[in-house]
Amino acid sequence: MATFLYRLGRLAFRRRHFVALIWVALLTLAGFAAASAPAAGNTSFSVPGTEAQKAFDLLEQRFPGMSADGGTARVVFKAPAGEKMTDAANKNTVQQTVDELGDGPEVASVADPYKADAVSKDGTIAYASVKYKVPGMELEDGTREVLEETAQDARDAGLTVEVGGDALLAQPETGTGEVIGIAVAAVVLVITFGSLVAAGLPLLTAVIGVGIGVSAITALASTLELGSTTSTLATMIGLAVGIDYALFVLSRYRAELAAGREREEAAGRAVGTAGSAVVFAGLTVVIALVGLAVVNMPMLTKMGVAAAGTVAIAVLIALTMIPALLGYAGRRVKPAGEKSRFLGGARAARKAASAKAKPNMGTRWARFVVRRPIVVLLLGIVGLGAVAAPAASMDLGIGDDSSLATSTTQRRAYDLLSEGFGPGFNGPLVVVVDAQASDDPDAAFTEVTDQIKGLENVATVMPAAPNKAGDTATITVIPAAEPSSVTTEELVHGIRDAGMEIKADTDADVLVTGTTAMNIDVAQKLNDALIPYLALVVGLAFLLLIVVFRSILVPLKAALGFLLSVMAALGAVVAVFQWGWMADLVGVDETRPIVAIMPIFMIGVVFGLAMDYEVFLVTRMREAYIHGEKASQAVVTGFNHSARVVTAAAVIMIAVFAGFIGSSEAMVKMIGFGLAIAVFFDAFIVRMAIVPAVLALLGKKAWWLPKWLDRVLPNVDVEGEGLRTHGDSAHSSSSSGSGDSKGADPDEERELVKF
């Protein structure tokens, strides 16, 4: 592989006009497709295989006119102090509001509070339920404006009015966080490379890659039902890996220049060595993201595949566009250790000459760890273990209006409904009774209702509402406790257990659905999928890393280190978002359950990124080891070459992910924080401390591989061993220092297709 990528790098350097034209054309086509595509429609949230989803599907089939996926709004009214909602003036205001709400073209129905028994027992609070013909995210702006203006008119009449439901949902906003993240990345790149031109190349290529990926997602959003969160997460991951992959190739290019290589040769060797690591690092990320399909949750699968596509684009850009741009940059990209005049290059050169014999910080740190591996190892494991402890009490949920800030009208509506109708009113359970196979459907409906009334923790059971055919009915159950409580979860399981007995007596199926039941089923499904997902992803990546490192213990150590960092990251997420520790620092207004799909998605992403640093850091160690250095010295050499670049890459990735903490979307905020803290733990504690400590303790045993396996495994040559002689033969014909060589070697171009 190294030889193939070496030729690809040189070809891209020479044919830079052609390569640049291809990527610009792809960006233009993707942008045109995104601009021409229809607006994204509703993003359906389905969880195949769960009882809540089966009940929802049955409702759509047996109750075709109820618009199960239509948007909803609850307009909640509260009378002034000392008054009742049944007073004539207040009643007149509410009825005017109901009439105005019912006039909209997208409105399916509006329930009058006084006819629907939607007035609290003390008479102070009432609500009107609005049902729309289209999903909440598809409502026209005019419909939302009417809803808000009508509520304001009722406020002007003296009532307290708040609006809940999904009708007021808006696209999530991320604010200036992404810009700040990119700005921090730019500063780190300038410090790392000492050149504005060199610093700009990774940013430029990352933006192009993300532009292509997100434009493609936007173009396909309507067809594939991709939500706004999908493109946001693709942007987050694409920016981070795009900058990092370009950073590693560019750093190796500068190192090759410092070794005296001509520019075209340096570009080829950079792609052949660092590019090989980029390919395998990218593969681990793609495996982790595509592997999310094993959960069998369409939304999660789409998010993973979309993000994986953006990562694949980042890999291809690093292998082709970076060497092409290096051809354009010429002498403006300096060899390693040199800086541009604008950034104090002359002064830096004098300092470098005076301190030439002094080892860099990475070398000094590696020597310290090699001397005291047990102490470093114990401190790292104990520290991460302590941070991971809160993960044991993690609560999962999809989230509802109770998790919103108290400044929002949705949260205030939630609180008013809880005050007037009880804490369980905001999380009603919908019991669907399928009596199509029953001899007496009405008797089955009655038995189900009576059984539920006899259960504990039930506040109210509504009468059964059959469909036109009379073979299916819905029964609304109001729990006595709030939706996210353990008590309500026990009630859901209690109804399902009772349903099994009822089926034996009446042949009627009893299914429980609703947001609360869906939350419970999603959490259970994700818990059940976690072990198979980890087995698949870690297993495939383990095999991949055996091929890369030709070792058993190094990949095993990499996987165990990942588990430490991801558990610590989940512990930090629980401490901040669920317990509220230091919540103000990340803008968390209210503690909440962890968004159900967040942990497994974060595990997939973190695993891929953790393997990135493992590949980039340990590859340089193995390169030194197979070139004859002792195992302990190879650790130091690896840090000498890679520590600075890996540190810069980690800081950039942390900055990019942290930029998304400002998002108004709860899951994006959590994932941004979780990924940022996970990269910190993995890069600076696991890879920079635990990994060298373990390798120092293992010595040459770390690189042990059974002879039979060594014969079976393909030799992918990530270290570029094949380039030690190959490049020398091409050295004399490589390009001049200015990078102005014309024409490609036809033999090289033919060789590319042989790989």
Side-chain angles (χ1 to χ4, degrees), residues 422-427 457-459 478-489 491:
F425 189 80
N426 284 289
N457 306 316
V458 175
I478 307 299
E482 59 187 8
S484 59
S485 67
V486 176
T487 302
T488 301
E489 182 177 350
L491 174 60

Side-chain angles (χ1 to χ4, degrees), residues 336-709:
E338 294 186 19
K339 294 185 178 181
S340 65
R341 292 181 181 179
F342 180 74
L343 296 172
R347 185 173 62 254
R350 289 193 298 269
K351 286 184 177 180
S354 63
K356 190 172 183 180
K358 184 179 179 181
N360 61 27
M361 185 178 295
T363 301
R364 296 196 300 272
W365 168 251
R367 287 174 179 171
F368 170 80
V369 174
V370 168
R371 287 196 303 268
R372 298 175 178 82
I374 296 178
V375 174
V376 173
L377 182 62
L378 290 177
L379 286 175
I381 292 175
V382 172
L384 290 179
V387 178
S393 61
M394 181 168 54
D395 293 330
L396 299 178
I398 294 178
D400 52 31
D401 289 348
S402 66
S403 63
L404 299 176
T406 53
S407 59
T408 62
T409 185
Q410 293 95 330
R411 171 59 187 274
R412 292 195 294 263
Y414 181 98
D415 292 340
L416 284 177
L417 290 172
S418 295
E419 176 187 340
F421 301 93
F425 189 80
N426 284 289
L429 305 176
V430 179
V431 179
V432 183
V433 184
D434 180 6
Q436 198 171 55
S438 177
D439 295 334
D440 190 350
D442 290 335
F445 302 154
T446 301
E447 183 174 348
V448 173
T449 303
D450 293 341
Q451 286 272 15
I452 294 174
K453 287 180 178 179
L455 297 175
E456 296 181 357
N457 306 316
V458 175
T460 307
V461 180
M462 304 292 187
N467 62 351
K468 290 183 180 180
D471 59 5
T472 308
T474 60
I475 302 171
T476 301
V477 180
I478 307 299
E482 59 187 8
S484 59
S485 67
V486 176
T487 302
T488 301
E489 182 177 350
E490 292 174 349
L491 174 60
V492 171
H493 291 308
I495 295 174
R496 288 172 173 171
D497 291 341
M500 296 176 65
E501 299 177 3
I502 293 171
K503 180 174 177 59
D505 296 338
T506 65
D507 291 328
D509 289 319
V510 180
L511 306 172
V512 184
T513 189
T515 301
T516 302
M518 184 67 78
N519 286 354
I520 294 169
D521 288 352
V522 167
Q524 185 61 51
K525 186 177 182 68
L526 290 170
N527 285 335
D528 293 343
L530 185 58
I531 299 302
Y533 173 69
L534 282 175
L536 173 68
V537 173
V538 176
L540 288 176
F542 180 77
L543 295 176
L544 188 65
L545 292 178
I546 289 178
V547 174
V548 174
F549 295 127
R550 308 193 75 79
S551 164
I552 298 294
L553 296 180
V554 170
L556 180 61
K557 173 263 309 168
L560 294 177
F562 150 73
L563 292 176
L564 272 176
S565 57
V566 77
M567 291 306 299
L570 288 174
V573 169
V574 170
V576 173
F577 289 89
Q578 188 175 309
W579 292 0
W581 291 6
M582 298 184 291
D584 292 340
L585 296 179
V586 295
V588 177
D589 298 316
E590 297 288 331
T591 58
R592 66 193 73 186
I594 306 305
V595 178
I597 66 175
M598 179 265 178
I600 198 165
F601 184 83
M602 194 183 84
I603 286 172
V605 176
V606 171
F607 180 79
L609 299 181
M611 295 307 102
D612 277 4
Y613 297 118
E614 180 75 13
V615 170
F616 288 122
L617 187 61
V618 181
T619 295
R620 291 307 294 262
M621 297 179 188
R622 173 168 172 77
E623 185 176 342
Y625 179 75
I626 65 174
H627 289 167
E629 292 187 8
K630 293 183 178 180
S632 58
Q633 181 57 38
V635 173
V636 176
T637 301
F639 267 75
N640 179 47
H641 289 295
S642 301
R644 177 183 175 89
V645 179
V646 170
T647 299
V651 172
I652 289 170
M653 200 169 279
I654 291 169
V656 172
F657 289 148
F660 289 82
I661 295 176
S663 173
S664 62
E665 179 90 2
M667 187 173 73
V668 174
K669 180 187 288 287
M670 284 185 187
I671 289 182
F673 173 82
L675 291 179
I677 200 71
V679 169
F680 173 79
F681 290 149
D682 195 84
F684 294 110
I685 298 179
V686 174
R687 308 303 155 188
M688 291 289 188
I690 294 178
V691 165
V694 171
L695 290 177
L697 289 172
L698 291 175
K700 64 181 181 179
K701 294 178 182 177
W703 308 108
W704 171 79
L705 185 71
K707 292 183 179 179
W708 65 268
L709 186 57

